[in-house]
Amino acid sequence: MGPTCHETSEQAIVLRPIRTSDAGEVLTVQRAAFVSEAQIYGDPSQGPLVQTLEQLTAELEDAGGFVALLGERIVGAIRTSEGDDVLLIGRIAIAPDMQGRGIGRRLLAEAEESSTSSVAELFTGSLSEANIALYEKCGYRESTRIDNGDGTAQVFMRKPLRTLAPLAPPAPLVPSRETG
């Protein structure tokens, strides 16, 4: 049986909040990680591959998220934002030589656990079968599919993060002692 959503075989990895000063290294990891996605879709102009350092730095001024460190090296990153009680998760990127070690699962779990939102949402492409399988293992379910008109689709997935406390059972009815 493989690792669950929260397990990892890489114990030397340390997670910390992402900083704007991480932009250069995060961009390097992001570009390396998304090459395989570009190959799947035959599209080298995907957003994560063409994003500039200036764009990423500006994004990190408003975004949350975490990086995964192996020593001083950033080997993974996840970006988040929250609004309308939804944690939006974006651009999970793991250095290619570190993939398959549970780092993405740990980053995802950290983002979810640090959120105050009641639901998390992310998206991936319909041809990204490994991503979809991972997200399903982590409790995400497809919520929306948007056709791109080229045989592919954007697959939006959601996961409840917080459930409302169960309502207290109703008080037992006390028979009335009134007489008619």
Side-chain angles (χ1 to χ4, degrees):
M1 183 171 174
T4 66
C5 183
H6 299 286
E7 292 176 348
T8 180
S9 59
E10 184 60 61
Q11 298 305 317
I13 300 296
V14 174
L15 304 184
R16 70 157 167 78
I18 199 166
R19 305 175 188 145
T20 56
S21 61
D22 296 327
E25 201 169 351
V26 167
L27 186 61
T28 300
V29 169
Q30 174 179 298
R31 286 182 175 167
F34 276 86
V35 167
S36 61
E37 289 292 298
Q39 291 171 333
I40 291 170
Y41 292 92
D43 182 7
S45 64
Q46 291 186 348
L49 294 175
V50 298
Q51 186 174 31
T52 66
L53 178 60
E54 294 76 21
Q55 290 169 331
L56 179 55
T57 301
E59 182 181 315
L60 292 180
E61 289 175 6
D62 296 324
F66 297 90
V67 293
L69 297 160
L70 179 61
E72 296 295 314
R73 177 184 172 211
I74 293 177
V75 296
I78 187 170
R79 300 210 285 287
T80 62
S81 63
E82 294 194 62
D84 296 327
D85 203 31
V86 177
L87 169 67
L88 298 173
I89 297 171
R91 302 240 167 116
I92 302 171
I94 310 302
D97 65 316
M98 299 299 292
Q99 291 176 4
R101 300 180 187 210
I103 297 168
R105 288 180 198 89
R106 284 189 56 196
L107 286 165
L108 194 56
E110 187 73 18
E112 293 167 358
E113 290 166 11
S114 69
S115 174
T116 59
S117 295
S118 62
V119 66
E121 181 177 77
L122 51 76
F123 76 92
T124 191
S126 58
L127 301 180
S128 301
E129 295 171 2
N131 292 351
I132 292 170
L134 170 66
Y135 301 145
E136 287 176 342
K137 284 181 187 175
C138 291
Y140 286 80
R141 298 294 172 254
E142 184 175 327
S143 59
T144 307
R145 189 173 280 246
I146 299 173
D147 187 351
N148 291 328
D150 61 0
T152 68
Q154 292 179 335
V155 179
F156 288 81
M157 303 180 81
R158 287 186 151 219
K159 174 184 179 178
L161 298 179
R162 317 260 179 285
T163 55
L164 297 174
L167 296 174
L173 295 176
V174 178
S176 172
R177 296 196 181 263
E178 294 177 10
T179 57

